[in-house]
Amino acid sequence: MMLIQCPWCGKRDENEFVCGGTTHIARPPSAVTDAVWGAYLFFRENPKGVHLERWRHTWGCGQWFNAARHTVTHEILAVYRMSDPVPDLSAGGAAS
């Protein structure tokens, strides 16, 4: 079981959380083609490596936050509030 660091409640078991999918997705302007709109709605990256995701502490404080998670090892490299910028992950160390 993964332990996830909630920015408000601290480390908790993963069963208290729900993953909301990819974060930092820019909505296209209203005047786009159907193909562009369809790509926005239905296609997401599925990287092998670090992936930026939205998580909600559903069975805790109920807050949404972002996490940088490695999709192979499931290691959480960083957690940060929705209003915060993406942390620098180039150092290779885990930040929270």
Side-chain angles (χ1 to χ4, degrees):
M1 174 169 297
M2 288 192 315
L3 289 177
I4 299 175
Q5 178 79 26
C6 174
W8 293 271
C9 303
K11 284 191 177 182
R12 301 287 193 267
D13 290 339
E14 72 177 293
N15 59 1
E16 292 188 17
F17 298 88
V18 172
C19 183
T22 304
T23 191
H24 305 296
I25 299 172
R27 183 181 176 129
S30 58
V32 296
T33 65
D34 288 344
V36 171
W37 187 248
Y40 165 74
L41 291 176
F42 301 112
F43 296 109
R44 297 289 181 255
E45 291 181 15
N46 188 16
K48 183 176 182 179
V50 178
H51 189 233
L52 301 177
E53 302 168 329
R54 295 177 296 159
W55 286 81
R56 182 171 185 242
H57 193 180
T58 308
W59 297 104
C61 62
Q63 296 290 322
W64 284 95
F65 62 93
N66 292 319
R69 181 180 64 87
H70 196 285
T71 59
V72 176
T73 64
H74 295 290
E75 178 184 7
I76 305 285
L77 302 172
V79 294
Y80 54 103
R81 296 176 185 217
M82 297 296 281
S83 58
D84 292 345
V86 178
D88 181 16
L89 301 172
S90 63
S96 54

